[in-house]
Amino acid sequence: MYQPRSANAFDAAVKALKDAGFEEGVHFIAKRPEGGERGYIRLRIPTGLWRLEELRRLGVDWADKALKRLEEIAKARGFSNLLEEYLRPAMEAETVDPRGLVVDDAERGLKAVVRGVRVDRECGRPRVVVEYEVGGDEKSFSFIWGVTTTGKVIAGVKLNDERALVLTALLADKAIRGKKGHMTLYAKHLFALAKYKGVGWGLLRWYAEVMRESAEL
C-alpha cells in the first residue's frame, strides 16, 4: 500500500499504474487524499500481483524489482508461502504447450491425443475449446466460464469417457476420471488451465475483471 499526503503525488502514482496497464478496481483500489488525511493506493490481491508478474515476464525492469522486493519482505516476515500461492497462477501462466499430450486409460481401452486448447470470447465470457483425437478421429468439446449470483466462478461441462480422460490430464484432477454427465468446474480448474499457452492470460484477465464486478455487488 502507498499512502500519499498530496493530491499531486496521488495523481502521479495512479497515472503511472494506469500507463502500465493496471486498471482501477481490477488491479488496485485508490482513495484520494483529502481533509488533511492521507490517501491510499492498494494493490488488489491476487490480481495486482498477477499484473506485476505479467509485466515482469514482458521484461519490465521496475516490475521485476518490485516483485523481488516483495519476495524479500515475504521471506523476512514469514509469509513467503502465501505470496507464492497468490503468484503461482501468473508465474505458471502459458508455460506449457498441451499439443501432443497423450492420455490413456488401459482399463477402458481409451487413448487420446490433445491437439489443442484455446479460448474464444462469447458475450464477454471465455469459452474454452479442447480439441483431441481418438482412434484417428478428430473431436472437440467446450465449456464456458461464468459467475454465480454469489460470486463463484464456475463452468459446466458434459462428460463422457473420452472427455473425462482428457480433462483429467489437462486439469491434473484425478477426481474427474471416469465421470459421465454434467460436471461443474471451479476456480481451481480455471487456474489449472491457465498454465497452457494461448489460454492462460486470457482466463486470468477475465477472472480479475469478474472479481471486481463481484466485489461491487
Side-chain angles (χ1 to χ4, degrees):
M1 181 169 65
Y2 172 52
Q3 293 179 292
R5 287 188 181 276
S6 76
N8 287 341
F10 174 87
D11 290 342
V14 168
K15 183 179 184 302
L17 286 172
K18 289 183 175 180
D19 287 348
F22 286 77
E23 293 183 44
E24 188 169 357
V26 175
H27 303 109
F28 72 95
I29 57 176
K31 182 179 182 298
R32 193 178 182 82
E34 57 185 5
E37 294 186 0
R38 287 177 181 267
Y40 62 78
I41 299 171
R42 290 201 297 252
L43 282 186
R44 293 195 67 179
I45 304 296
T47 56
L49 295 176
W50 292 352
R51 180 58 185 161
L52 278 175
E53 176 60 27
E54 187 176 8
L55 290 171
R56 174 160 70 176
R57 295 263 293 273
L58 291 171
V60 177
D61 185 60
W62 67 262
D64 179 57
K65 290 178 179 177
L67 279 171
K68 284 180 178 176
R69 180 58 180 150
L70 278 173
E71 288 160 358
E72 290 172 2
I73 293 170
K75 185 175 181 180
R77 298 187 180 180
F79 61 91
S80 56
N81 288 343
L82 181 60
L83 180 63
E84 183 181 338
E85 182 181 339
Y86 285 140
L87 278 170
R88 186 176 295 115
M91 293 179 72
E92 295 178 350
E94 307 214 10
T95 58
V96 177
D97 189 341
R99 293 174 299 178
L101 174 65
V102 178
V103 292
D104 61 72
D105 185 340
E107 184 179 332
R108 293 178 173 80
L110 290 174
K111 182 177 181 179
V113 181
V114 177
R115 292 306 182 198
V117 182
R118 71 175 192 272
V119 172
D120 296 332
R121 278 277 183 159
E122 188 171 305
C123 298
R125 296 162 62 192
R127 178 181 290 278
V128 175
V129 180
V130 179
E131 299 170 333
Y132 65 101
E133 183 180 314
V134 173
D137 296 328
E138 295 184 359
K139 301 184 178 183
S140 69
F141 64 96
S142 68
F143 46 91
I144 189 165
W145 290 94
V147 185
T148 69
T149 55
T150 58
K152 287 185 179 180
V153 169
I154 64 169
V157 58
K158 189 174 182 179
L159 297 177
N160 55 25
D161 286 339
E162 295 174 3
R163 293 177 179 183
L165 177 64
V166 171
L167 269 188
T168 297
L170 288 176
L171 302 179
D173 186 348
K174 294 181 180 179
I176 300 174
R177 195 180 187 95
K179 284 189 176 293
K180 292 182 180 180
H182 183 272
M183 179 179 179
T184 300
L185 304 178
Y186 298 97
K188 68 176 183 178
H189 298 117
L190 182 146
F191 296 151
L193 286 168
K195 67 177 174 284
Y196 296 116
K197 290 183 178 179
V199 173
W201 288 119
L203 288 178
L204 293 182
R205 288 175 189 140
W206 173 81
Y207 181 90
E209 291 167 8
V210 297
M211 286 301 97
R212 172 190 60 184
E213 292 167 3
S214 296
E216 290 174 349
L217 294 176

